[in-house]
Amino acid sequence: MTTDEHVVFIVDDDGRIREALGELLEAHGMRSIAFGSAGEYVAADKPDVSACLILDVELPDINGLELQRQIAVGHHPPIVFITGHGDIPSSVRAIKHGAVDFLTKPFSDADVMAAVRTAIAEDRKMRSERAELDMLKQRYFELTTREREVLPLVVSGLLNKQAASELGISEVTLQIHRRNVMQKMGAASLADLVRIAERLEIPITHSRRAGGS
């Protein structure tokens, strides 16, 4: 894991904590960017790399849990909460809403590093999944109108002749469109195409039984 592959954001109003965490992360080959308030973090330009957010609960502008709620509507790094005044309701709320960990000061270096590594690995996975979904969406947009009509019929399990009848085209023409859909969507098999359709949330409105055999 090299420093240019990820970054750890630190949001804490205590300069000593920011400095100590920065030194700890640097010692483990991790780059960090520190902020003294939630507002500074939100306003800052951030590198588009895998990341983790170490977030203090008590901040001078808004509560860290409130910041978690506000940024939940978009893509944000997995959060590791730190606090000097931990309580069970706060920790439960934080974890319930996706936080990786909730550490109470004084915390051990090992606990911080374990949580940070988990958060960065989680962010890498989410970024990879988003990139794959974006690619599938782009491929879907490149289908012709007819191919978009064929796709849900194929993944619904209809036979070629049933799907062709549904669209009012010949079975040979349906097979050509089906082959084009498979190629353009990068599907190696019908099972692949079904999984792709599920990821794209393409509604399936037909069943094999509906068209007869």
Side-chain angles (χ1 to χ4, degrees), residues 88-145:
I88 293 177
S90 294
S91 62
V92 169
R93 175 183 170 186
I95 299 300
K96 181 179 179 180
H97 289 87
V100 171
D101 210 337
F102 193 95
L103 305 176
T104 303
K105 303 172 186 177
F107 37 72
S108 71
D109 292 352
D111 285 344
V112 172
M113 295 310 304
V116 166
R117 290 191 177 101
T118 296
I120 291 175
E122 184 178 302
D123 196 42
R124 281 203 179 105
K125 180 181 178 182
M126 290 189 295
R127 282 172 167 269
S128 176
E129 291 174 349
R130 288 200 299 269
E132 181 182 5
L133 183 57
D134 288 343
M135 177 186 65
L136 293 177
K137 288 179 178 178
Q138 182 59 40
R139 290 176 179 175
Y140 179 73
F141 291 146
E142 291 173 357
L143 297 180
T144 65
T145 300

Side-chain angles (χ1 to χ4, degrees), residues 32 43 53 122 140 187 199:
S32 65
L53 172 57
E122 184 178 302
Y140 179 73
R199 290 210 62 192

Side-chain angles (χ1 to χ4, degrees), residues 18-91:
R18 295 197 301 271
E19 183 177 358
L21 287 172
E23 291 176 352
L24 172 64
L25 293 164
E26 184 179 3
H28 286 80
M30 294 185 175
R31 179 165 66 109
S32 65
I33 303 175
F35 306 93
S37 69
E40 290 179 13
Y41 169 75
V42 171
D45 290 329
K46 305 173 187 67
D48 186 19
V49 295
S50 298
C52 163
L53 172 57
I54 298 179
L55 180 60
D56 191 11
V57 174
E58 300 299 329
L59 294 168
D61 42 6
I62 66 170
N63 183 279
L65 294 170
E66 174 61 19
L67 176 61
Q68 180 190 33
R69 186 191 67 79
Q70 290 182 13
I71 63 179
V73 295
H75 300 312
H76 66 87
I79 298 172
V80 175
F81 276 103
I82 57 175
T83 181
H85 308 283
D87 60 78
I88 293 177
S90 294
S91 62

Side-chain angles (χ1 to χ4, degrees), residues 1-6 29 124:
M1 189 181 289
T2 59
T3 56
D4 61 349
E5 292 177 331
H6 63 271
R124 281 203 179 105

